[in-house]
Amino acid sequence: MNGKPKVLVTARLHEDAMNSLRNLAEVTTLARQLAASKSTLLEIIHDFKGVIIGSLEPFDKEVIYAGDKLRVISRHGVGYNNVDVKAATQKKIYVTITPVLSETVADLTLGLIISVARRIPQAHKYVNEGKWGVETGFFTGTDIYGKTLGIIGLGRIGSAVAKRAKGFAMTILYYDLIRNLEMEKQLGLKYVSLESLLSQADIVTIHVPLTDKTMRLVGERELKRMKPTAYLINTSRGPTVDESALYTAIKDGWIAGAGLDVFSEEPINPKNPLLSLKNIIYTPHIASATQECRYKMSMMSVENTIRVLKRKKPLHYVTS
Ligand code: 8YV
């Protein structure tokens, strides 16, 4: 029998990261779809000292308490709403994260902003279907340059979005629980209330973690405050937006459209009514999915795990 500690990997890691993990640990991989099932996790978790997981695997109190040997829950990512950090902290289990993805997520955010305002995906589909022509006014989009951007949550990712928006000569408003005077000075950002951000912005983009307080942060009331010409972008977590209110908002023209990378249910339910709207574009939770970024995330999630297994402090962790 080999005496290496057992580590369960349910995130998709780069081979280099897998190899360095295998030097130290006995590695078991499990497809994300299976790992998203709590009953599967409950059956197997007691075997493992470490887990490296994606954003869907439900590490709630029950799963965490069933992990007798568990010392580290390593998130391949920064959001940890699928992990009960309080239960983990009580059990002295590290919950680690990989804060190396802000620039990559900010890139996709800008991509969604431009795509939704200029209807790039719809135009692509149109040409792909053998159609052509500007005879349809639908493809006369709106400018991004010089418009007003409202950033909800000026953390690592929100700040990276702000830096990019400067290049588009945008007026940048932000709302957060904490003011960032440094960023305000550096980029000329304006701190405003959530209400005033919603009513002034041409594009509202969400960059908050999912917590009890940010659950459905943008609902009917907030959507009604937005301009009928404004777009909503979400690359954070689906449940920060009330999806049924968003459906009505777009259908009834309270707002002009949305660009979404995240949904309240993932993988998305093909019957989700949002999919039937034409003023909306969506991607399958790919904001951090570039070769470069996923490499860094893989290496860091493994490094965090190895450190804990060697009884060292991980590079980045959260507690409660
Ligand atoms: C990843 C994410 O898609 O960082 C996060 O919280 O949601 C994404 O970067 C996910 O964690 C992949 O494992």
Side-chain angles (χ1 to χ4, degrees), residues 10-12 32 53-57 75-82 98 101 105 157 235-237 261-262 266 284-289 293-294 297:
T10 63
R12 237 181 95 177
R32 274 185 90 180
I53 62 169
S55 58
L56 295 177
E57 300 82 330
R75 267 285 290 119
H76 173 257
V78 289
Y80 47 88
N81 51 290
N82 57 326
T98 61
L101 46 75
V105 173
I157 299 172
T235 55
S236 64
R237 284 291 184 267
D261 184 51
V262 287
E266 294 181 11
H285 200 145
I286 56 164
S288 69
C293 185
R294 286 293 164 90
M297 289 165 69

PDB file of all heavy atoms in Angstrom, residues 10-12 32 53-57 75-82 98 101 105 157 235-237 261-262 266 284-289 293-294 297, ligand 1:
ATOM      1  N   THR A  10     -11.870  17.148  -8.619  1.00  0.00           N
ATOM      2  CA  THR A  10     -13.082  17.192  -9.444  1.00  0.00           C
ATOM      3  C   THR A  10     -13.045  18.389 -10.401  1.00  0.00           C
ATOM      4  O   THR A  10     -13.900  18.518 -11.261  1.00  0.00           O
ATOM      5  CB  THR A  10     -14.345  17.258  -8.566  1.00  0.00           C
ATOM      6  OG1 THR A  10     -14.313  18.468  -7.820  1.00  0.00           O
ATOM      7  CG2 THR A  10     -14.443  16.087  -7.634  1.00  0.00           C
ATOM      8  N   ALA A  11     -12.052  19.269 -10.217  1.00  0.00           N
ATOM      9  CA  ALA A  11     -11.879  20.389 -11.155  1.00  0.00           C
ATOM     10  C   ALA A  11     -11.032  19.889 -12.321  1.00  0.00           C
ATOM     11  O   ALA A  11     -10.297  18.905 -12.177  1.00  0.00           O
ATOM     12  CB  ALA A  11     -11.178  21.547 -10.458  1.00  0.00           C
ATOM     13  N   ARG A  12     -11.130  20.579 -13.456  1.00  0.00           N
ATOM     14  CA  ARG A  12     -10.291  20.173 -14.601  1.00  0.00           C
ATOM     15  C   ARG A  12      -8.949  20.867 -14.502  1.00  0.00           C
ATOM     16  O   ARG A  12      -8.838  22.066 -14.726  1.00  0.00           O
ATOM     17  CB  ARG A  12     -10.991  20.583 -15.891  1.00  0.00           C
ATOM     18  CG  ARG A  12     -11.199  19.386 -16.795  1.00  0.00           C
ATOM     19  CD  ARG A  12     -11.856  19.786 -18.048  1.00  0.00           C
ATOM     20  NE  ARG A  12     -10.866  20.020 -19.085  1.00  0.00           N
ATOM     21  CZ  ARG A  12     -11.173  20.339 -20.314  1.00  0.00           C
ATOM     22  NH1 ARG A  12     -12.424  20.505 -20.644  1.00  0.00           N
ATOM     23  NH2 ARG A  12     -10.254  20.512 -21.206  1.00  0.00           N
ATOM     24  N   ARG A  32     -16.978  16.326 -12.916  1.00  0.00           N
ATOM     25  CA  ARG A  32     -17.708  17.379 -12.195  1.00  0.00           C
ATOM     26  C   ARG A  32     -19.186  17.068 -12.036  1.00  0.00           C
ATOM     27  O   ARG A  32     -19.777  17.343 -11.000  1.00  0.00           O
ATOM     28  CB  ARG A  32     -17.555  18.709 -12.927  1.00  0.00           C
ATOM     29  CG  ARG A  32     -16.320  19.448 -12.532  1.00  0.00           C
ATOM     30  CD  ARG A  32     -16.286  20.794 -13.205  1.00  0.00           C
ATOM     31  NE  ARG A  32     -16.929  21.798 -12.375  1.00  0.00           N
ATOM     32  CZ  ARG A  32     -17.035  23.071 -12.753  1.00  0.00           C
ATOM     33  NH1 ARG A  32     -16.574  23.471 -13.893  1.00  0.00           N
ATOM     34  NH2 ARG A  32     -17.602  23.951 -11.949  1.00  0.00           N
ATOM     35  N   ILE A  53     -11.644  21.404  -6.093  1.00  0.00           N
ATOM     36  CA  ILE A  53     -13.006  21.393  -6.634  1.00  0.00           C
ATOM     37  C   ILE A  53     -13.339  22.630  -7.476  1.00  0.00           C
ATOM     38  O   ILE A  53     -12.687  23.665  -7.372  1.00  0.00           O
ATOM     39  CB  ILE A  53     -14.052  21.286  -5.484  1.00  0.00           C
ATOM     40  CG1 ILE A  53     -13.965  22.489  -4.535  1.00  0.00           C
ATOM     41  CG2 ILE A  53     -13.878  19.984  -4.732  1.00  0.00           C
ATOM     42  CD1 ILE A  53     -15.096  22.592  -3.548  1.00  0.00           C
ATOM     43  N   GLY A  54     -14.382  22.486  -8.281  1.00  0.00           N
ATOM     44  CA  GLY A  54     -14.908  23.593  -9.081  1.00  0.00           C
ATOM     45  C   GLY A  54     -15.950  24.373  -8.312  1.00  0.00           C
ATOM     46  O   GLY A  54     -15.951  24.373  -7.070  1.00  0.00           O
ATOM     47  N   SER A  55     -16.875  24.997  -9.034  1.00  0.00           N
ATOM     48  CA  SER A  55     -17.818  25.908  -8.378  1.00  0.00           C
ATOM     49  C   SER A  55     -19.164  25.272  -8.058  1.00  0.00           C
ATOM     50  O   SER A  55     -20.028  25.905  -7.460  1.00  0.00           O
ATOM     51  CB  SER A  55     -18.041  27.136  -9.267  1.00  0.00           C
ATOM     52  OG  SER A  55     -18.521  26.716 -10.531  1.00  0.00           O
ATOM     53  N   LEU A  56     -19.362  24.007  -8.447  1.00  0.00           N
ATOM     54  CA  LEU A  56     -20.690  23.409  -8.261  1.00  0.00           C
ATOM     55  C   LEU A  56     -20.756  22.354  -7.155  1.00  0.00           C
ATOM     56  O   LEU A  56     -21.823  22.074  -6.624  1.00  0.00           O
ATOM     57  CB  LEU A  56     -21.154  22.751  -9.571  1.00  0.00           C
ATOM     58  CG  LEU A  56     -21.391  23.685 -10.753  1.00  0.00           C
ATOM     59  CD1 LEU A  56     -21.775  22.878 -11.981  1.00  0.00           C
ATOM     60  CD2 LEU A  56     -22.482  24.695 -10.422  1.00  0.00           C
ATOM     61  N   GLU A  57     -19.614  21.757  -6.827  1.00  0.00           N
ATOM     62  CA  GLU A  57     -19.612  20.667  -5.864  1.00  0.00           C
ATOM     63  C   GLU A  57     -20.090  21.173  -4.503  1.00  0.00           C
ATOM     64  O   GLU A  57     -19.499  22.093  -3.940  1.00  0.00           O
ATOM     65  CB  GLU A  57     -18.183  20.089  -5.735  1.00  0.00           C
ATOM     66  CG  GLU A  57     -17.612  19.537  -7.027  1.00  0.00           C
ATOM     67  CD  GLU A  57     -17.017  20.587  -7.966  1.00  0.00           C
ATOM     68  OE1 GLU A  57     -17.496  21.744  -7.953  1.00  0.00           O
ATOM     69  OE2 GLU A  57     -16.079  20.268  -8.702  1.00  0.00           O
ATOM     70  N   ARG A  75     -10.322  25.390  -3.675  1.00  0.00           N
ATOM     71  CA  ARG A  75     -11.169  25.840  -4.784  1.00  0.00           C
ATOM     72  C   ARG A  75     -10.287  26.218  -5.959  1.00  0.00           C
ATOM     73  O   ARG A  75      -9.328  26.978  -5.820  1.00  0.00           O
ATOM     74  CB  ARG A  75     -12.000  27.060  -4.343  1.00  0.00           C
ATOM     75  CG  ARG A  75     -13.333  26.715  -3.807  1.00  0.00           C
ATOM     76  CD  ARG A  75     -14.330  26.314  -4.904  1.00  0.00           C
ATOM     77  NE  ARG A  75     -14.721  27.440  -5.744  1.00  0.00           N
ATOM     78  CZ  ARG A  75     -14.504  27.506  -7.057  1.00  0.00           C
ATOM     79  NH1 ARG A  75     -13.887  26.531  -7.706  1.00  0.00           N
ATOM     80  NH2 ARG A  75     -14.884  28.566  -7.732  1.00  0.00           N
ATOM     81  N   HIS A  76     -10.627  25.636  -7.099  1.00  0.00           N
ATOM     82  CA  HIS A  76      -9.991  26.018  -8.367  1.00  0.00           C
ATOM     83  C   HIS A  76     -10.836  27.181  -8.860  1.00  0.00           C
ATOM     84  O   HIS A  76     -11.753  27.037  -9.650  1.00  0.00           O
ATOM     85  CB  HIS A  76     -10.068  24.780  -9.280  1.00  0.00           C
ATOM     86  CG  HIS A  76      -9.631  24.985 -10.685  1.00  0.00           C
ATOM     87  ND1 HIS A  76     -10.523  25.117 -11.729  1.00  0.00           N
ATOM     88  CD2 HIS A  76      -8.401  25.061 -11.238  1.00  0.00           C
ATOM     89  CE1 HIS A  76      -9.857  25.254 -12.861  1.00  0.00           C
ATOM     90  NE2 HIS A  76      -8.574  25.224 -12.587  1.00  0.00           N
ATOM     91  N   GLY A  77     -10.566  28.374  -8.288  1.00  0.00           N
ATOM     92  CA  GLY A  77     -11.390  29.546  -8.555  1.00  0.00           C
ATOM     93  C   GLY A  77     -11.387  30.458  -7.342  1.00  0.00           C
ATOM     94  O   GLY A  77     -10.696  30.168  -6.350  1.00  0.00           O
ATOM     95  N   VAL A  78     -12.158  31.532  -7.423  1.00  0.00           N
ATOM     96  CA  VAL A  78     -12.188  32.459  -6.282  1.00  0.00           C
ATOM     97  C   VAL A  78     -13.499  32.446  -5.498  1.00  0.00           C
ATOM     98  O   VAL A  78     -13.531  32.797  -4.336  1.00  0.00           O
ATOM     99  CB  VAL A  78     -11.885  33.920  -6.706  1.00  0.00           C
ATOM    100  CG1 VAL A  78     -10.432  34.086  -7.079  1.00  0.00           C
ATOM    101  CG2 VAL A  78     -12.814  34.393  -7.808  1.00  0.00           C
ATOM    102  N   GLY A  79     -14.589  32.084  -6.166  1.00  0.00           N
ATOM    103  CA  GLY A  79     -15.887  32.060  -5.479  1.00  0.00           C
ATOM    104  C   GLY A  79     -15.964  30.808  -4.623  1.00  0.00           C
ATOM    105  O   GLY A  79     -15.550  29.733  -5.041  1.00  0.00           O
ATOM    106  N   TYR A  80     -16.500  30.956  -3.408  1.00  0.00           N
ATOM    107  CA  TYR A  80     -16.563  29.773  -2.522  1.00  0.00           C
ATOM    108  C   TYR A  80     -17.951  29.622  -1.906  1.00  0.00           C
ATOM    109  O   TYR A  80     -18.106  29.079  -0.809  1.00  0.00           O
ATOM    110  CB  TYR A  80     -15.460  29.835  -1.452  1.00  0.00           C
ATOM    111  CG  TYR A  80     -15.339  31.154  -0.751  1.00  0.00           C
ATOM    112  CD1 TYR A  80     -16.097  31.432   0.373  1.00  0.00           C
ATOM    113  CD2 TYR A  80     -14.474  32.131  -1.234  1.00  0.00           C
ATOM    114  CE1 TYR A  80     -16.001  32.651   1.013  1.00  0.00           C
ATOM    115  CE2 TYR A  80     -14.372  33.360  -0.601  1.00  0.00           C
ATOM    116  CZ  TYR A  80     -15.136  33.608   0.524  1.00  0.00           C
ATOM    117  OH  TYR A  80     -15.036  34.826   1.146  1.00  0.00           O
ATOM    118  N   ASN A  81     -18.958  30.065  -2.659  1.00  0.00           N
ATOM    119  CA  ASN A  81     -20.329  29.960  -2.161  1.00  0.00           C
ATOM    120  C   ASN A  81     -20.820  28.512  -2.082  1.00  0.00           C
ATOM    121  O   ASN A  81     -21.823  28.227  -1.440  1.00  0.00           O
ATOM    122  CB  ASN A  81     -21.277  30.781  -3.038  1.00  0.00           C
ATOM    123  CG  ASN A  81     -21.118  30.461  -4.502  1.00  0.00           C
ATOM    124  OD1 ASN A  81     -20.101  30.794  -5.098  1.00  0.00           O
ATOM    125  ND2 ASN A  81     -22.088  29.778  -5.072  1.00  0.00           N
ATOM    126  N   ASN A  82     -20.102  27.579  -2.743  1.00  0.00           N
ATOM    127  CA  ASN A  82     -20.478  26.160  -2.651  1.00  0.00           C
ATOM    128  C   ASN A  82     -19.788  25.454  -1.484  1.00  0.00           C
ATOM    129  O   ASN A  82     -19.892  24.246  -1.341  1.00  0.00           O
ATOM    130  CB  ASN A  82     -20.185  25.423  -3.973  1.00  0.00           C
ATOM    131  CG  ASN A  82     -18.731  25.533  -4.411  1.00  0.00           C
ATOM    132  OD1 ASN A  82     -18.086  26.548  -4.181  1.00  0.00           O
ATOM    133  ND2 ASN A  82     -18.202  24.497  -5.044  1.00  0.00           N
ATOM    134  N   THR A  98      -7.902  30.690  -5.605  1.00  0.00           N
ATOM    135  CA  THR A  98      -6.846  31.029  -6.571  1.00  0.00           C
ATOM    136  C   THR A  98      -7.095  32.420  -7.184  1.00  0.00           C
ATOM    137  O   THR A  98      -7.625  32.525  -8.295  1.00  0.00           O
ATOM    138  CB  THR A  98      -6.798  29.991  -7.706  1.00  0.00           C
ATOM    139  OG1 THR A  98      -8.067  29.994  -8.384  1.00  0.00           O
ATOM    140  CG2 THR A  98      -6.527  28.590  -7.216  1.00  0.00           C
ATOM    141  N   LEU A 101      -7.326  35.254 -11.453  1.00  0.00           N
ATOM    142  CA  LEU A 101      -8.173  35.255 -12.642  1.00  0.00           C
ATOM    143  C   LEU A 101      -8.840  36.591 -12.967  1.00  0.00           C
ATOM    144  O   LEU A 101      -9.618  36.688 -13.931  1.00  0.00           O
ATOM    145  CB  LEU A 101      -9.233  34.139 -12.521  1.00  0.00           C
ATOM    146  CG  LEU A 101      -9.982  34.020 -11.193  1.00  0.00           C
ATOM    147  CD1 LEU A 101     -11.005  35.094 -11.014  1.00  0.00           C
ATOM    148  CD2 LEU A 101     -10.596  32.652 -11.063  1.00  0.00           C
ATOM    149  N   VAL A 105     -11.219  37.373 -16.260  1.00  0.00           N
ATOM    150  CA  VAL A 105     -12.672  37.565 -16.097  1.00  0.00           C
ATOM    151  C   VAL A 105     -13.058  38.965 -16.591  1.00  0.00           C
ATOM    152  O   VAL A 105     -14.093  39.142 -17.247  1.00  0.00           O
ATOM    153  CB  VAL A 105     -13.092  37.344 -14.623  1.00  0.00           C
ATOM    154  CG1 VAL A 105     -14.560  37.706 -14.414  1.00  0.00           C
ATOM    155  CG2 VAL A 105     -12.838  35.895 -14.204  1.00  0.00           C
ATOM    156  N   ILE A 157     -11.841  41.880  -9.356  1.00  0.00           N
ATOM    157  CA  ILE A 157     -12.359  41.788 -10.734  1.00  0.00           C
ATOM    158  C   ILE A 157     -12.992  43.113 -11.158  1.00  0.00           C
ATOM    159  O   ILE A 157     -12.719  43.624 -12.253  1.00  0.00           O
ATOM    160  CB  ILE A 157     -13.350  40.611 -10.868  1.00  0.00           C
ATOM    161  CG1 ILE A 157     -12.621  39.292 -10.552  1.00  0.00           C
ATOM    162  CG2 ILE A 157     -13.961  40.571 -12.275  1.00  0.00           C
ATOM    163  CD1 ILE A 157     -13.503  38.068 -10.447  1.00  0.00           C
ATOM    164  N   THR A 235     -21.030  38.334 -14.577  1.00  0.00           N
ATOM    165  CA  THR A 235     -20.010  37.277 -14.640  1.00  0.00           C
ATOM    166  C   THR A 235     -19.667  36.808 -13.219  1.00  0.00           C
ATOM    167  O   THR A 235     -18.617  36.211 -13.005  1.00  0.00           O
ATOM    168  CB  THR A 235     -18.714  37.773 -15.337  1.00  0.00           C
ATOM    169  OG1 THR A 235     -18.255  38.945 -14.660  1.00  0.00           O
ATOM    170  CG2 THR A 235     -18.920  38.076 -16.806  1.00  0.00           C
ATOM    171  N   SER A 236     -20.566  37.113 -12.241  1.00  0.00           N
ATOM    172  CA  SER A 236     -20.242  36.739 -10.854  1.00  0.00           C
ATOM    173  C   SER A 236     -20.866  35.390 -10.514  1.00  0.00           C
ATOM    174  O   SER A 236     -20.259  34.342 -10.756  1.00  0.00           O
ATOM    175  CB  SER A 236     -20.681  37.843  -9.898  1.00  0.00           C
ATOM    176  OG  SER A 236     -22.085  38.015  -9.896  1.00  0.00           O
ATOM    177  N   ARG A 237     -22.092  35.409 -10.008  1.00  0.00           N
ATOM    178  CA  ARG A 237     -22.838  34.183  -9.745  1.00  0.00           C
ATOM    179  C   ARG A 237     -24.295  34.452 -10.119  1.00  0.00           C
ATOM    180  O   ARG A 237     -24.830  35.527  -9.826  1.00  0.00           O
ATOM    181  CB  ARG A 237     -22.764  33.797  -8.262  1.00  0.00           C
ATOM    182  CG  ARG A 237     -21.446  33.179  -7.830  1.00  0.00           C
ATOM    183  CD  ARG A 237     -21.235  31.791  -8.436  1.00  0.00           C
ATOM    184  NE  ARG A 237     -20.020  31.161  -7.963  1.00  0.00           N
ATOM    185  CZ  ARG A 237     -18.832  31.230  -8.569  1.00  0.00           C
ATOM    186  NH1 ARG A 237     -18.692  31.940  -9.679  1.00  0.00           N
ATOM    187  NH2 ARG A 237     -17.796  30.602  -8.074  1.00  0.00           N
ATOM    188  N   ASP A 261     -22.845  35.232 -18.011  1.00  0.00           N
ATOM    189  CA  ASP A 261     -21.944  34.076 -18.040  1.00  0.00           C
ATOM    190  C   ASP A 261     -22.346  33.075 -16.956  1.00  0.00           C
ATOM    191  O   ASP A 261     -21.818  31.980 -16.890  1.00  0.00           O
ATOM    192  CB  ASP A 261     -20.499  34.547 -17.810  1.00  0.00           C
ATOM    193  CG  ASP A 261     -19.480  33.413 -17.931  1.00  0.00           C
ATOM    194  OD1 ASP A 261     -19.521  32.688 -18.947  1.00  0.00           O
ATOM    195  OD2 ASP A 261     -18.655  33.243 -17.012  1.00  0.00           O
ATOM    196  N   VAL A 262     -23.271  33.502 -16.090  1.00  0.00           N
ATOM    197  CA  VAL A 262     -23.637  32.676 -14.932  1.00  0.00           C
ATOM    198  C   VAL A 262     -25.156  32.638 -14.776  1.00  0.00           C
ATOM    199  O   VAL A 262     -25.853  33.589 -15.150  1.00  0.00           O
ATOM    200  CB  VAL A 262     -22.991  33.237 -13.645  1.00  0.00           C
ATOM    201  CG1 VAL A 262     -21.501  32.966 -13.614  1.00  0.00           C
ATOM    202  CG2 VAL A 262     -23.255  34.731 -13.499  1.00  0.00           C
ATOM    203  N   GLU A 266     -26.841  25.795 -12.800  1.00  0.00           N
ATOM    204  CA  GLU A 266     -25.786  25.422 -13.764  1.00  0.00           C
ATOM    205  C   GLU A 266     -25.492  23.932 -13.629  1.00  0.00           C
ATOM    206  O   GLU A 266     -25.423  23.445 -12.495  1.00  0.00           O
ATOM    207  CB  GLU A 266     -24.514  26.235 -13.502  1.00  0.00           C
ATOM    208  CG  GLU A 266     -24.705  27.712 -13.781  1.00  0.00           C
ATOM    209  CD  GLU A 266     -23.436  28.545 -13.539  1.00  0.00           C
ATOM    210  OE1 GLU A 266     -22.349  27.965 -13.362  1.00  0.00           O
ATOM    211  OE2 GLU A 266     -23.548  29.776 -13.533  1.00  0.00           O
ATOM    212  N   PRO A 284     -21.349  29.817 -21.204  1.00  0.00           N
ATOM    213  CA  PRO A 284     -21.493  28.795 -20.158  1.00  0.00           C
ATOM    214  C   PRO A 284     -20.454  28.886 -19.036  1.00  0.00           C
ATOM    215  O   PRO A 284     -19.609  28.000 -18.892  1.00  0.00           O
ATOM    216  CB  PRO A 284     -21.359  27.487 -20.937  1.00  0.00           C
ATOM    217  CG  PRO A 284     -20.451  27.827 -22.070  1.00  0.00           C
ATOM    218  CD  PRO A 284     -20.684  29.269 -22.412  1.00  0.00           C
ATOM    219  N   HIS A 285     -20.496  29.956 -18.254  1.00  0.00           N
ATOM    220  CA  HIS A 285     -19.584  30.136 -17.104  1.00  0.00           C
ATOM    221  C   HIS A 285     -18.122  29.930 -17.543  1.00  0.00           C
ATOM    222  O   HIS A 285     -17.432  29.050 -17.027  1.00  0.00           O
ATOM    223  CB  HIS A 285     -19.954  29.174 -15.967  1.00  0.00           C
ATOM    224  CG  HIS A 285     -19.423  29.599 -14.632  1.00  0.00           C
ATOM    225  ND1 HIS A 285     -20.105  29.392 -13.460  1.00  0.00           N
ATOM    226  CD2 HIS A 285     -18.267  30.226 -14.279  1.00  0.00           C
ATOM    227  CE1 HIS A 285     -19.389  29.851 -12.441  1.00  0.00           C
ATOM    228  NE2 HIS A 285     -18.253  30.367 -12.922  1.00  0.00           N
ATOM    229  N   ILE A 286     -17.698  30.758 -18.498  1.00  0.00           N
ATOM    230  CA  ILE A 286     -16.338  30.599 -19.044  1.00  0.00           C
ATOM    231  C   ILE A 286     -15.437  31.808 -18.759  1.00  0.00           C
ATOM    232  O   ILE A 286     -14.393  31.956 -19.386  1.00  0.00           O
ATOM    233  CB  ILE A 286     -16.357  30.366 -20.582  1.00  0.00           C
ATOM    234  CG1 ILE A 286     -17.108  31.504 -21.299  1.00  0.00           C
ATOM    235  CG2 ILE A 286     -16.922  29.004 -20.937  1.00  0.00           C
ATOM    236  CD1 ILE A 286     -16.858  31.576 -22.795  1.00  0.00           C
ATOM    237  N   ALA A 287     -15.862  32.679 -17.840  1.00  0.00           N
ATOM    238  CA  ALA A 287     -15.114  33.931 -17.667  1.00  0.00           C
ATOM    239  C   ALA A 287     -13.626  33.713 -17.372  1.00  0.00           C
ATOM    240  O   ALA A 287     -12.784  34.499 -17.800  1.00  0.00           O
ATOM    241  CB  ALA A 287     -15.761  34.786 -16.597  1.00  0.00           C
ATOM    242  N   SER A 288     -13.288  32.649 -16.651  1.00  0.00           N
ATOM    243  CA  SER A 288     -11.862  32.431 -16.340  1.00  0.00           C
ATOM    244  C   SER A 288     -11.216  31.421 -17.293  1.00  0.00           C
ATOM    245  O   SER A 288     -10.063  31.034 -17.088  1.00  0.00           O
ATOM    246  CB  SER A 288     -11.703  31.952 -14.893  1.00  0.00           C
ATOM    247  OG  SER A 288     -12.227  30.643 -14.764  1.00  0.00           O
ATOM    248  N   ALA A 289     -11.972  31.020 -18.312  1.00  0.00           N
ATOM    249  CA  ALA A 289     -11.472  29.923 -19.152  1.00  0.00           C
ATOM    250  C   ALA A 289     -10.587  30.390 -20.307  1.00  0.00           C
ATOM    251  O   ALA A 289     -11.029  30.505 -21.440  1.00  0.00           O
ATOM    252  CB  ALA A 289     -12.654  29.099 -19.674  1.00  0.00           C
ATOM    253  N   CYS A 293      -4.945  31.447 -17.939  1.00  0.00           N
ATOM    254  CA  CYS A 293      -5.559  31.592 -16.623  1.00  0.00           C
ATOM    255  C   CYS A 293      -5.788  30.231 -15.972  1.00  0.00           C
ATOM    256  O   CYS A 293      -5.500  30.033 -14.792  1.00  0.00           O
ATOM    257  CB  CYS A 293      -6.870  32.355 -16.772  1.00  0.00           C
ATOM    258  SG  CYS A 293      -7.638  32.726 -15.216  1.00  0.00           S
ATOM    259  N   ARG A 294      -6.287  29.277 -16.771  1.00  0.00           N
ATOM    260  CA  ARG A 294      -6.556  27.953 -16.199  1.00  0.00           C
ATOM    261  C   ARG A 294      -5.261  27.267 -15.771  1.00  0.00           C
ATOM    262  O   ARG A 294      -5.242  26.473 -14.829  1.00  0.00           O
ATOM    263  CB  ARG A 294      -7.349  27.104 -17.191  1.00  0.00           C
ATOM    264  CG  ARG A 294      -8.814  27.538 -17.292  1.00  0.00           C
ATOM    265  CD  ARG A 294      -9.537  27.257 -15.984  1.00  0.00           C
ATOM    266  NE  ARG A 294     -10.791  27.948 -15.838  1.00  0.00           N
ATOM    267  CZ  ARG A 294     -11.982  27.486 -16.230  1.00  0.00           C
ATOM    268  NH1 ARG A 294     -12.063  26.338 -16.857  1.00  0.00           N
ATOM    269  NH2 ARG A 294     -13.068  28.178 -16.004  1.00  0.00           N
ATOM    270  N   MET A 297      -4.511  28.887 -12.432  1.00  0.00           N
ATOM    271  CA  MET A 297      -5.463  28.384 -11.430  1.00  0.00           C
ATOM    272  C   MET A 297      -5.129  26.948 -11.033  1.00  0.00           C
ATOM    273  O   MET A 297      -5.184  26.589  -9.855  1.00  0.00           O
ATOM    274  CB  MET A 297      -6.896  28.441 -11.991  1.00  0.00           C
ATOM    275  CG  MET A 297      -7.464  29.832 -12.120  1.00  0.00           C
ATOM    276  SD  MET A 297      -8.945  29.852 -13.170  1.00  0.00           S
ATOM    277  CE  MET A 297     -10.130  28.983 -12.153  1.00  0.00           C
TER     278      MET A 297
HETATM  279  C1  8YV B   1     -14.467  28.848 -12.538  1.00  0.00           C
HETATM  280  C2  8YV B   1     -15.332  30.680 -10.930  1.00  0.00           C
HETATM  281  O1  8YV B   1     -15.302  28.632 -13.634  1.00  0.00           O
HETATM  282  O2  8YV B   1     -13.444  31.520  -9.828  1.00  0.00           O
HETATM  283  C3  8YV B   1     -14.614  31.225  -9.759  1.00  0.00           C
HETATM  284  O3  8YV B   1     -15.236  31.362  -8.700  1.00  0.00           O
HETATM  285  O4  8YV B   1     -16.514  30.624 -10.940  1.00  0.00           O
HETATM  286  C4  8YV B   1     -14.601  30.267 -12.153  1.00  0.00           C
HETATM  287  O5  8YV B   1     -13.380  30.848 -12.241  1.00  0.00           O
HETATM  288  C5  8YV B   1     -14.655  27.687 -11.658  1.00  0.00           C
HETATM  289  O6  8YV B   1     -14.273  27.908 -10.379  1.00  0.00           O
HETATM  290  C6  8YV B   1     -13.956  26.499 -12.300  1.00  0.00           C
HETATM  291  O7  8YV B   1     -13.522  25.580 -11.425  1.00  0.00           O
END
